[in-house]
Amino acid sequence: MKYHITTYGCQMNLHESEKIAGILNACGYDEECGEEEADIIVFNTCCIRENAENHAFGNIGALKKLKKRKPSLLIAMGGCMAQEAGKAEYIKRKFPFVDIVFGTHNLCELQALIEKKRATKKTVVSLKEEREMVEDGITPVRKSYPNAWVNITYGCNNFCTYCIVPYVRGREKSRAPEEILKEVEELVQAGYKEITLLGQNVNSYSGNGMRFPELLDKVASIGGNFRVAFMTSHPKDFSEELVAVMKKHSKICRRLHLPAQSGSDRILSLMNRRYTREKYLNEIALLRREIPDCEVTTDLIVGFPTETEEEFGETLTLVREAGFSSAFTFVYSPRAGTKAAEMEGQIPEDVSKLRIMRLVECVNRQTREKSARCVGQTLEILVEDYDGKKGFYLGRDSYGRMGYFKSDRDRVGEFVTLKITKANGVSLFGEEQ
């Protein structure tokens, strides 16, 4: 039997889709395929932004005709959107041809839910309020070689006022360090070359009393030729100990994703971020003092309720002062159930659109400047893929920069040293040394 998985959202969702594939293998679905050929289709959804929800609903609705032609086809929907309050009932009412709805806390029960559907022929809806286990028993079908994701925490305790994650992912839970280290060791032995430790907030990890810097130190001390990355970090939990561990190990990637969200102290307070612009910039200064070449990426939101033009300007100046190499930029999107959605002073859409365009140009200009300075330098990339249309192998270096080069043999999974001959926006082109 064949399966198809459609994934929306972040790296956490992508890795959970790898786990879903592992569960489907255990259910007898052993070949991935397109929707038309599938015996089961699983949507792993995201609800962080309204566009993600609309996209998912549109694609699910488009399957109505396929389900009519293939009554035996199973359609399952899981992930953040399914867990969101009231959404399971809406899905059952609006899309009665969906067979299974499950949430973020019981992904490990998918096999049982499939069996229940087969036995009862009725729609199966199963949601839990809290995560009871951390899915250590699932063997994922990894599709990201030579990169591999490893969950270290689930959920979030921060309750930023714009964010729905704590409501759909639950309270923070940390995996046992021995389970994490075992998984990393197995991945390294299997030939994976970059291991990314994942969590909604990795640097608040606390597994069996072990804090994140100690865990990172132990992961980076594992033998083998591989790199270690981690995301996402929260500025309120940034520490000198973390920087010291990053400095200690050459295996740890020289990049840090540290979401700032805004350059305005008033907006940061309204967001419940629990740090100031000054604290954030002091953290960047500490990082650059100890690891001068470390690159920093970030997340930035424009159009948060009551944001003034002057406060938006503070976000623009933060881009320069922090020296971000790139940024994920977003227009604020109200999420039902969050405090920010009920705030007065919602920013008109046309104002937010103008601000995001200016922010994107500011970030892109800085990224282009940084890329141009790479011409003539050498960098070591981990080759991740081959672009058959353009004839280039591609991969990222320890700083997160994307490099392209040509080769007459398969190089995926290898570390390759390039001399950069051209920069095109965020892309670097080079010749193998």
Side-chain angles (χ1 to χ4, degrees):
M1 295 189 293
K2 300 178 182 180
Y3 67 89
H4 177 86
I5 302 172
T6 297
T7 309
Y8 304 89
C10 62
Q11 288 89 347
M12 186 77 75
N13 277 28
L14 289 169
H15 184 39
E16 288 182 346
S17 287
E18 293 181 333
K19 295 179 182 179
I20 289 170
I23 293 171
L24 294 177
N25 279 181
C27 295
Y29 301 93
D30 56 5
E31 184 179 345
E32 189 173 14
C33 65
E35 289 182 346
E36 292 286 336
E37 298 81 31
D39 297 292
I40 184 170
I41 296 173
V42 182
F43 288 88
N44 187 14
T45 62
C46 172
C47 65
I48 300 304
R49 306 191 61 74
E50 186 177 7
N51 285 345
E53 283 198 5
N54 293 339
H55 194 194
F57 281 140
N59 287 342
I60 292 169
L63 290 180
K64 183 176 182 179
K65 292 181 180 179
L66 179 60
K67 177 73 170 181
K68 192 172 182 179
R69 294 200 313 269
K70 292 177 60 176
S72 62
L73 170 67
L74 291 185
I75 300 175
M77 181 176 171
C80 295
M81 193 165 73
Q83 189 72 39
E84 193 178 355
K87 279 298 182 343
E89 293 80 4
Y90 175 82
I91 293 163
K92 191 174 180 180
R93 182 178 69 255
K94 183 76 173 179
F95 307 101
F97 53 89
V98 172
D99 300 287
I100 300 168
V101 180
F102 62 99
T104 57
H105 302 314
N106 61 331
L107 179 151
C108 56
E109 295 181 353
L110 180 57
Q111 181 172 0
L113 300 179
I114 291 171
E115 292 171 354
K116 183 176 180 180
K117 170 61 185 179
R118 287 171 173 169
T120 65
K121 309 298 184 184
K122 296 180 180 179
T123 301
V124 177
V125 178
S126 180
L127 303 172
K128 290 190 173 180
E129 291 298 317
E130 285 290 337
R131 183 182 295 270
E132 296 176 0
M133 58 186 296
V134 291
E135 302 158 12
D136 284 331
I138 298 175
T139 302
V141 177
R142 297 187 183 271
K143 303 172 184 178
S144 55
Y145 178 83
N147 305 306
W149 295 302
V150 175
N151 285 114
I152 68 168
T153 68
Y154 298 88
C156 183
N157 293 340
N158 291 320
F159 288 93
C160 301
T161 57
Y162 55 83
C163 186
I164 200 169
V165 166
Y167 303 97
V168 296
R169 288 281 181 179
R171 300 307 151 266
E172 194 172 281
K173 286 181 168 41
S174 296
R175 291 179 66 195
E178 56 270 20
E179 291 293 338
I180 296 168
L181 294 171
K182 177 185 175 185
E183 184 175 352
V184 174
E185 288 173 350
E186 291 173 348
L187 289 168
V188 172
Q189 291 170 7
Y192 287 88
K193 297 299 195 302
E194 182 168 303
I195 312 298
T196 301
L197 307 179
L198 284 181
Q200 261 77 35
N201 182 13
V202 293
N203 49 359
S204 65
Y205 172 84
S206 181
N208 295 343
M210 183 182 293
R211 307 302 297 177
F212 181 62
E214 183 180 356
L215 174 69
L216 182 62
D217 184 37
K218 288 183 178 296
V219 169
S221 297
I222 293 171
N225 184 24
F226 69 101
R227 300 192 307 218
V228 183
F230 56 92
M231 64 184 310
T232 295
S233 300
H234 195 297
K236 74 177 180 61
D237 297 308
F238 187 87
S239 67
E240 293 184 12
E241 291 79 9
L242 174 59
V243 175
V245 173
M246 292 179 67
K247 184 177 180 180
K248 174 182 175 183
H249 293 280
S250 60
K251 282 181 180 176
I252 299 176
C253 288
R254 292 307 188 240
R255 61 180 184 264
L256 177 69
H257 189 68
L258 195 65
Q261 306 300 6
S262 175
S264 161
D265 283 346
R266 189 183 74 86
I267 295 298
L268 288 172
S269 178
L270 287 176
M271 289 177 168
N272 191 36
R273 292 292 287 174
R274 288 177 279 178
Y275 55 85
T276 63
R277 177 193 180 101
E278 181 181 15
K279 181 179 188 299
Y280 184 91
L281 288 173
N282 285 342
E283 291 171 353
I284 300 299
L286 168 64
L287 181 68
R288 295 257 165 76
R289 185 168 63 248
E290 296 299 317
I291 313 173
D293 60 345
C294 190
E295 294 287 2
V296 179
T297 59
T298 195
D299 296 343
L300 297 168
I301 297 172
V302 304
F304 190 81
T306 74
E307 180 190 60
T308 66
E309 184 65 22
E310 181 181 1
E311 288 164 337
F312 166 67
E314 292 182 88
T315 297
L316 290 179
T317 58
L318 181 70
V319 172
R320 281 292 183 184
E321 289 185 46
F324 300 127
S325 59
S326 65
F328 295 101
T329 57
F330 307 94
V331 172
Y332 166 71
S333 177
R335 299 282 74 201
T338 63
K339 289 186 177 181
E342 304 302 321
M343 290 180 179
E344 295 182 357
Q346 299 289 324
I347 303 299
E349 184 178 354
D350 59 338
V351 174
S352 292
K353 283 185 176 180
L354 288 174
R355 288 178 183 173
I356 196 69
M357 290 171 63
R358 291 167 60 194
L359 178 60
V360 168
E361 174 53 31
C362 178
V363 171
N364 287 349
R365 182 169 58 249
Q366 186 157 294
T367 300
R368 289 192 297 267
E369 292 171 359
K370 284 178 170 284
S371 295
R373 292 198 289 268
C374 292
V375 175
Q377 297 182 6
T378 58
L379 57 87
E380 182 185 68
I381 68 166
L382 172 59
V383 185
E384 300 174 352
D385 204 355
Y386 176 69
D387 186 335
K389 291 183 179 179
K390 297 181 179 179
F392 285 100
Y393 283 92
L394 60 140
R396 297 185 185 275
D397 69 357
S398 179
Y399 304 91
R401 300 174 298 207
M402 182 66 77
Y404 295 81
F405 71 104
K406 291 191 174 184
S407 177
D408 56 5
R409 65 181 181 86
D410 185 4
R411 308 307 298 275
V412 174
E414 297 182 20
F415 288 102
V416 173
T417 300
L418 301 181
K419 183 171 183 178
I420 302 306
T421 58
K422 184 178 72 170
N424 183 10
V426 298
S427 302
L428 304 174
F429 295 84
E431 297 176 351
E432 186 176 355
Q433 299 296 290

